[in-house]
Amino acid sequence: DAGITQSPRHKVTETGTPVTLRCHQTENHRYMYWYRQDPGHGLRLIHYSYGVKDTDKGEVSDGYSVSRSKTEDFLLTLESATSSQTSVYFCAISAGLRSYGYTFGSGTRLTVV
Amino acid sequence: TQLLEQSPQFLSIQEGENLTVYCNSSSVFSSLQWYRQEPGEGPVLLVTVVTGGEVKKLKRLTFQFGDARKDSSLHITAAQPGDTGLYLCAGTAAGGTSYGKLTFGQGTILTVHP
């Protein structure tokens, strides 16, 4: 069983509409992260969480918000989707900092038309 | 933001050849990780190195962390088609506001031809 699942796996949406991506974990890990992956840019951190209701911005947070009301769920919301937010979005979890590896979800491919 | 530069970006080799991927930075990292990613999936952790000069082996893969903890390398011996994929290095900042968060390199796309 996967310890982390993302939904949906694929989504096409129109410019200007709000979109919410969900990340669900069954590992009870404290830390959760949202990354986007684009050609030529690698993986870039959008937002992260270090506990329930504790979140902070990453390097590319503009246009995105997050919420974490339960340990197992971390939601990423695009307030008003733009074409520049077309990307593959990955959620990751970790048990701690520094030497703890990340476990990634399978990703959500989002297309904004 | 701490930057990690990976090289080469693309690597196309024949089965049985050896290869090395490099990951370099001007910043010090408290740990460095290597991931492998296949199309349509998320990255999967291969190894974590935390001590300067550390060497870890995973079957035909050898990972090294630089003495100054600013660089790392991944060496694959006798590459096989199953090694094909995107290899990513990622570092954890040693301090400051980025402490604990992973910064990723651009990745190396490896293709091993039969």
Side-chain angles (χ1 to χ4, degrees):
Chain A
D1 289 339
I4 175 172
T5 55
Q6 291 184 233
S7 59
R9 287 297 310 272
H10 303 272
K11 185 170 182 65
V12 179
T13 192
E14 293 185 350
T15 298
T17 61
V19 177
T20 296
L21 309 183
R22 181 178 182 242
C23 178
H24 178 77
Q25 61 145 329
T26 57
E27 304 297 322
N28 200 36
H29 284 346
R30 176 180 176 185
Y31 299 92
M32 299 186 75
Y33 309 84
W34 277 107
Y35 283 86
R36 60 178 290 175
Q37 187 173 36
D38 305 287
H41 291 280
L43 283 155
R44 293 180 292 174
L45 181 64
I46 305 171
H47 280 281
Y48 63 100
S49 170
Y50 38 95
V52 174
K53 298 187 179 179
D54 285 327
T55 64
D56 208 345
K57 296 179 180 180
E59 59 180 301
V60 290
S61 60
D62 287 348
Y64 302 94
S65 63
V66 290
S67 66
R68 192 172 179 195
S69 58
K70 298 184 291 184
T71 299
E72 56 266 35
D73 291 324
F74 193 30
L75 303 180
L76 176 70
T77 298
L78 287 65
E79 305 291 344
S80 177
T82 67
S83 58
S84 65
Q85 294 176 311
T86 291
S87 185
V88 181
Y89 291 86
F90 287 100
C91 178
I93 60 175
S94 70
L97 300 176
R98 190 175 179 244
S99 61
Y100 290 85
Y102 286 16
T103 300
F104 283 84
S106 297
T108 294
R109 181 173 293 277
L110 176 69
T111 303
V112 183
V113 298
Chain B
T1 301
Q2 298 183 294
L3 297 176
L4 274 169
E5 295 185 5
Q6 265 185 259
S7 61
Q9 272 191 287
F10 303 94
L11 203 48
S12 180
I13 62 173
Q14 294 297 126
E15 182 175 2
E17 293 183 6
N18 302 331
L19 66 110
T20 302
V21 178
Y22 299 93
C23 182
N24 295 293
S25 176
S26 58
S27 303
V28 176
F29 291 94
S30 63
S31 69
L32 203 134
Q33 300 171 1
W34 286 90
Y35 292 80
R36 179 168 172 265
Q37 185 178 16
E38 298 195 30
E41 296 297 327
V44 175
L45 179 67
L46 295 174
V47 76
T48 300
V49 285
V50 298
T51 305
E54 183 176 1
V55 176
K56 281 192 174 180
K57 292 191 175 184
L58 186 64
K59 296 183 181 179
R60 293 176 293 100
L61 280 60
T62 302
F63 305 86
Q64 185 163 8
F65 200 12
D67 291 340
R69 293 186 289 134
K70 293 182 177 182
D71 56 87
S72 181
S73 64
L74 157 61
H75 182 80
I76 301 179
T77 302
Q80 299 176 0
D83 295 326
T84 293
L86 172 66
Y87 289 82
L88 295 156
C89 67
T92 307
T97 58
S98 297
Y99 177 70
K101 297 192 290 291
L102 273 184
T103 298
F104 282 83
Q106 309 280 54
T108 296
I109 297 175
L110 171 65
T111 304
V112 182
H113 302 280

